[in-house]
Amino acid sequence: MAYRATDRLPQGPYADDRKILVVEDSKTYSLALCRRLIEEVGLELVACRSLNELHEAVTENAAAYTLAVVDLNLPDAPRGEAIDFTVQRGIPTIVHTGSFDIETRNRIMERDVIDYVPKDSEFALDTLVRAVKRALTNRQTRILVVDDVKATRRLLAHMLTVQQYDVVEADSGAEALSLLEANPDIRLVVSDYNMPDMDGYELTRHIRRRFSASGLRVIGVSSSSDRMVSVGFLKAGANDFISMPFVPEELQCRIASNAETQEQIAQLRNLASRDALTGLFNRRHFFEHAPGLIAEARARRQKSAVAILDIDDFKQLNDSHGHDLGDRVLAGVARCIAQSVDGSSSLLARIGGEEFAILFPGLDAKAAMRRSDHVRLDVSHETVMVGEHQIALTASIGVAEIDENGSFDQALIAADRALYAAKREGRNRVCVQAA
């Protein structure tokens, strides 16, 4: 019988309804691996200790599995038969093995596997878990492969697809540029040097005029023995260079390194744009991005509106019960507002203290007031416990419209005046004022 590990964490970035297969005959190693995967990945696991158990687990529904981690040598599958079983059924597979040499490496690489991890060091388990996380993350990364030679392009695209990347192909520099415009989610470009319409250097320079190195990474490839080809790519703005014919492991590591660098940059930017306490966008992000959203709405001949929300009696709560309670109130209200505007095109931020701002691109004052009143009502259902006492929370909101000729700064001033009007009129209400 297959061992099933059903304890699950929230799925987070690896959200998937399918399971991970762990095929390992060592019970101790299997338990350790399953425990780590449950903690760090959070998907449901099915653990098998033999090829026979693997047959039982998979035969009914191979599509139920998102990934397999398979031992190369099992008692009833001594030459990688378990790997063949998962690969042939379309289950992306990572191999781990107790013995490793060039012959073993060649046996593994004959199959379309994502990666292999030898169990020959104290870091083997860490490396294996990282490989699983990398494979799952790769599915969110779209790569453009550019090469005018179809066979070479298809080989590279296949190698990257095995690594779980989402691959788009182009047979010329011009087509590559068109695909980049049509697919803003492309994160990596892998380009050959020799192409008829424009070479890899020229394509790279075109890309750099339109896209930053942090937003779109470029990797040059070439079969040329001229060492200056790599220099030319890097001088043109490429981030890396790989020589052909490819060594699969080198290709995998270089692509993964560039993808990870890009993810780290995105994480740093996200942290810089977020409020540490509430997780909402911060004041700087709001003021940097709101004008662009307003301009987009104007291009569609639509108005926009801005709302400023203030938690009622927050200073009294903070002074009476301490900053810990104040932080709980801020976090709770922020979560409530975020849930209330979720699914809309609104831009929500904490802009200071107990104040929050919401931009409603494309909505006039009347529609924004209705949305704001929904937010106010949701906040009024929020409570915080102080000892044994439950304290209800409320918020006041000021709204102002931004018309075709209106200024964003003027609208913010008007929304602030409307907020104070809501406070004067008794709190827990929404007021609108003309900009």
Side-chain angles (χ1 to χ4, degrees):
M1 281 292 290
Y3 163 74
R4 286 171 168 77
T6 55
D7 296 329
R8 301 178 70 176
L9 292 179
Q11 294 181 359
Y14 310 112
D16 197 320
D17 292 333
R18 296 173 294 168
K19 308 168 188 176
I20 294 178
L21 268 171
V22 174
V23 186
E24 167 62 56
D25 63 313
S26 166
K27 186 175 181 179
T28 302
Y29 193 86
S30 178
L31 284 171
L33 177 58
C34 287
R35 187 176 299 113
R36 286 286 302 277
L37 290 174
I38 289 170
E39 290 172 355
E40 298 190 36
V41 179
L43 301 186
E44 187 175 349
L45 304 179
V46 173
C48 308
R49 298 182 61 187
S50 66
L51 180 60
N52 185 51
E53 287 189 3
L54 178 60
H55 272 274
E56 290 182 18
V58 173
T59 300
E60 292 180 4
N61 184 13
Y65 299 97
T66 189
L67 195 73
V69 181
V70 183
D71 192 0
L72 176 63
N73 302 310
L74 298 171
D76 59 347
R79 295 196 58 80
E81 292 89 344
I83 300 170
D84 293 331
F85 183 84
T86 55
V87 170
Q88 289 167 7
R89 282 153 184 79
I91 304 173
T93 300
I94 296 171
V95 179
H96 53 117
T97 175
S99 59
F100 188 77
D101 52 34
I102 292 299
E103 182 185 353
T104 302
R105 179 264 178 199
N106 292 339
R107 283 171 54 203
I108 294 171
M109 296 308 294
E110 288 172 356
R111 292 131 164 140
D112 280 336
V113 299
I114 298 172
D115 199 0
Y116 62 84
V117 178
K119 302 184 208 173
D120 58 356
S121 79
E122 58 188 299
F123 308 111
L125 201 59
D126 293 333
T127 304
L128 189 52
V129 172
R130 280 200 304 272
V132 170
K133 293 164 73 173
R134 178 78 258 156
L136 295 172
T137 303
N138 286 353
R139 296 171 184 177
Q140 303 165 25
T141 303
R142 177 168 279 193
I143 297 179
L144 173 61
V145 175
V146 191
D147 197 317
D148 63 309
V149 180
K150 184 176 181 180
T152 306
R153 186 177 71 247
R154 289 290 169 86
L155 173 63
L156 178 54
H158 175 73
M159 294 171 74
L160 293 173
T161 300
V162 169
Q163 296 297 314
Q164 302 301 290
Y165 293 105
D166 180 10
V167 180
V168 181
E169 298 180 41
D171 62 9
S172 68
E175 185 184 10
L177 294 173
S178 295
L179 285 170
L180 286 171
E181 291 296 335
N183 297 273
D185 57 342
I186 291 174
R187 293 290 172 262
L188 281 162
V189 176
V190 182
S191 174
D192 186 31
Y193 169 60
N194 285 307
M195 293 185 292
D197 63 335
M198 66 176 77
D199 63 28
Y201 302 165
E202 187 179 353
L203 173 59
T204 301
R205 284 191 286 267
H206 275 290
I207 289 171
R208 281 293 160 257
R209 291 186 194 112
R210 303 187 194 185
F211 305 96
S212 69
S214 60
L216 182 65
R217 297 184 77 79
V218 178
I219 301 174
V221 297
S222 177
S223 58
S224 173
S225 59
D226 184 354
R227 296 285 299 274
M228 293 304 293
V229 173
S230 63
V231 173
F233 263 113
L234 297 173
K235 290 287 187 181
N239 302 93
D240 206 345
F241 178 82
I242 308 173
S243 294
M244 294 191 289
F246 301 114
V247 176
E249 293 94 325
E250 181 188 11
L251 175 70
Q252 171 196 337
C253 290
R254 286 184 180 274
I255 297 288
S257 176
N258 278 276
E260 287 170 2
T261 297
Q262 197 171 48
E263 289 161 14
Q264 289 164 2
I265 292 170
Q267 289 169 3
L268 289 172
R269 283 183 169 174
N270 186 54
L271 287 172
S273 68
R274 295 284 176 178
D275 172 57
L277 176 63
T278 64
L280 300 181
F281 287 122
N282 57 25
R283 180 185 183 89
R284 185 180 69 178
H285 182 93
F286 184 79
F287 282 93
E288 283 180 356
H289 288 79
L293 294 172
I294 295 166
E296 289 175 8
R298 281 176 174 161
R300 299 189 299 268
R301 298 185 180 278
Q302 294 176 334
K303 297 178 179 180
S304 296
V306 64
I308 297 179
L309 179 149
D310 185 273
I311 302 172
D312 293 330
D313 301 315
F314 178 79
K315 187 175 185 304
Q316 182 180 339
L317 282 170
N318 209 37
D319 292 347
S320 300
H321 303 288
H323 292 291
D324 287 344
L325 178 73
D327 288 350
R328 283 165 49 201
V329 169
L330 286 167
V333 170
R335 183 173 58 251
C336 183
I337 303 170
Q339 290 171 349
S340 189
V341 301
D342 185 40
S344 70
S345 59
S346 305
L347 176 63
L348 167 63
R350 180 188 177 198
I351 58 172
E354 67 272 29
E355 280 195 342
F356 301 84
I358 312 170
L359 178 71
F360 298 104
L363 298 187
D364 61 16
K366 186 179 291 187
M369 182 176 182
R370 287 196 297 268
R371 290 277 183 90
S372 298
D373 202 50
H374 283 301
V375 172
R376 179 201 61 78
L377 186 61
D378 289 341
V379 172
S380 71
H381 295 147
E382 189 76 11
T383 60
V384 63
M385 294 298 298
V386 180
E388 298 180 356
H389 301 287
Q390 191 176 60
I391 298 176
L393 302 175
T394 62
S396 300
I397 305 176
V399 176
E401 184 177 281
I402 311 165
D403 61 24
E404 291 182 2
N405 301 312
S407 158
F408 177 51
D409 290 338
Q410 290 173 342
L412 285 169
I413 294 169
D416 201 48
R417 288 199 301 264
L419 169 64
Y420 281 99
K423 294 280 189 184
R424 287 195 305 270
E425 292 175 19
R427 298 183 174 85
N428 191 25
R429 66 192 63 226
V430 179
C431 286
V432 180
Q433 190 158 342

